[in-house]
Structure formats: structure tokens, C-alpha cells
Amino acid sequence: MTVGIHRDNVAIVLQRPRYPENIGAAARAMRNMGFSQLIVVSPGIWDEERIRRLATHAAGPVVDTIRRCDDLQTALSPFHYVIGTTARLGGQRPVIKSPEVLAQNLIPLSLTNTIAIVFGPEDRGLTAEDLKYCHQTVNIPTVNFSSLNLAQAVMVICYCLSTAGRPDLPPPTPRLANRAELDRLDAELTETLVRIGYVNPENPDYWMSRIRRFFARIGLRAGDAGILRGICRQIRTYGERQYAEGRQAEKSSTGRESAF
Ligand code: SAH
């Protein structure tokens, strides 16, 4: 028995798309490949007539159920695994250069986790800040000219996901922490590591991006994120208590001195 991707657990997220036609064409590509969850974050123009013209009647239901969000972090918060798509190679972040390999990897994940695939705006693509939320990045290989039209990029990814299959049921990946849980951990860990002097407050992202990549690689579960947050809180409480006790000791020794 061949096992494919669990389509209901996959959403396509368009971050700041500029042209309504691309939203419509992306909806159509999704409909062709059997995907239905489309999230649009902060579109340049929202013009339903222009969207529907390109979506065609068949993808009407995808357009009807589009979820609109004001920011990417909120849009991604319920998802357990986030993939960023990029036309650009280079930079520190490892990029999977094969949508087919990505699709194979996502099959077991999709059985138990919700997955968001994020596409960037037509002019600039996803920013470093957007990629912060992504567990992995994927590139569609091209020849010489790397930048695909947004909706065509959606089509290639949906096609690869849709046609991927594994000969037998892979062991499902356990349920991972969702983005909201990871974002809370990220905030607490950054604060703690800055306070204990491990991370430079001027440029916390330098180290945090490495730690984020490490977490993405090992696949934290909700309970793991909870333990790490608990450790952070305990470190801060310990530091505050030591500081308060030090102040107290300083005061009493000053008091004693003044008594002499
Ligand atoms: N000029 C931008 C490309 C934007 S194209 C840049 O240099 O990054 C709009 C979006 O389509 C991209 O953000 C990405 O999500 C997707 N896309 C375009 N070409 C792609 C490629 N070769 N591989 C993966 N995604 C691609």
C-alpha cells in the first residue's frame, strides 16, 4: 500500500502577495492538486474579483475559505511544522534543493502534524525575519534564472507533495510543539540567555538563529518546549534570588560598618 501526504494537514501560506491574480492562480493550482487550506497574510491589494478571475469557478471553494491574517507569526502559530520556499541559495541556512525529497520527508510528519508551506512576496521573497519561523527551507531547482512566478512556485510544490508516495506506512513523526509554543520558548530563552550574558543584547539573533536551527533539527515536542521554558524561568528566579540576597548582605554589612 502506498502512503501519500495527508493533504488536510497541509496549508499554503502567501506572505504579503502583491497581486490578486497570483492569489487566484495559487488557489487554482491548489485545487488541481487537492489542497484546500489557503492563508493570505497582509496582501498588497485585496480584490476578490481579480482573485476569482484567475482561480476560475472550480477553485471557488478554496477562495471562499481563505483565511486572512495581518502578520505571519499569528498565521503560523497553530502549525507544527513550517517550510519556507526560496528562490535564493546561499546564506547560513541549509536549503533542501529538491521539492521531491521535501515531499518524502513530509509524508510521515503530515500524518500527525499540521504543516504550513510559506511563499514570499513577488518582488523580494521571504525576509530573514520570515524565515525565522521556518523549520526548513526548500528551493525549486532552475536553470540560470531562479525566480519563478509565485503561483507557479505554489504549483510545483503542490504537485510534488501530491504525487509523492512511500511504499509502506512510515512510522508517524510524534506530535511536535506548534509555532506558538516555540515562539514562547524563543522569547523566554532569548531573555534568559541575554540576562546571563550568553547572548549579546545588541545582536541576539546571531546566536538565537543557531539555537532555533538546532531545535528545528531535533524536532521539539510540546512537553520538551515546556521543560526548557521551566528551566529558563528557574534560572531567572535563581539569578534574581542571588541578586536580592547579595544586596541584602551588602546592606547588612554596610549597616554593621556604620554601627562601628
Ligand atoms: N525575487 C524574489 C523571488 C520572489 S518570487 C527573490 O529573489 O527571492 C515569489 C515567491 O515564489 C518566493 O518568495 C518563493 O516563495 C517562491 N519561489 C519563486 N521561485 C522559487 C524557487 N526557485 N524555489 C522556491 N520557491 C520559489
Side-chain angles (χ1 to χ4, degrees), residues 180-237:
E181 287 156 342
L182 291 177
D183 290 344
R184 282 200 292 275
L185 169 61
D186 197 283
E188 290 224 24
L189 194 58
T190 308
E191 193 193 333
T192 309
L193 296 183
V194 164
R195 284 229 214 153
I196 64 171
Y198 185 77
V199 160
N200 180 354
E202 303 289 319
N203 186 13
D205 258 353
Y206 177 76
W207 276 106
M208 288 312 295
S209 58
R210 290 174 176 218
I211 296 173
R212 266 178 225 126
R213 277 204 295 279
F214 164 57
F215 286 162
R217 212 163 49 234
I218 57 178
L220 289 186
R221 302 187 199 173
D224 302 331
I227 290 172
L228 289 170
R229 287 179 63 205
I231 293 174
C232 288
R233 275 196 299 274
Q234 198 58 36
I235 290 173
R236 290 204 307 273
T237 311

Side-chain angles (χ1 to χ4, degrees), residues 83-90 94-100 102 136-142 146-148 156-157:
I83 306 291
T85 53
T86 181
R88 267 174 275 165
L89 294 171
V95 177
I96 304 179
K97 295 188 206 90
S98 160
E100 290 87 355
L102 172 81
Q136 281 194 341
T137 351
V138 67
N139 169 260
I140 301 163
T142 50
S146 69
S147 176
L148 271 76
V156 172
I157 296 292

Side-chain angles (χ1 to χ4, degrees), residues 15 18 21 46 62 132 177 181 200 213 218 241 248:
Q15 159 75 330
R18 292 174 60 131
E21 287 77 9
W46 182 261
V62 179
K132 220 170 86 171
E181 287 156 342
N200 180 354
R213 277 204 295 279
I218 57 178
R241 202 184 320 122
Q248 195 58 42

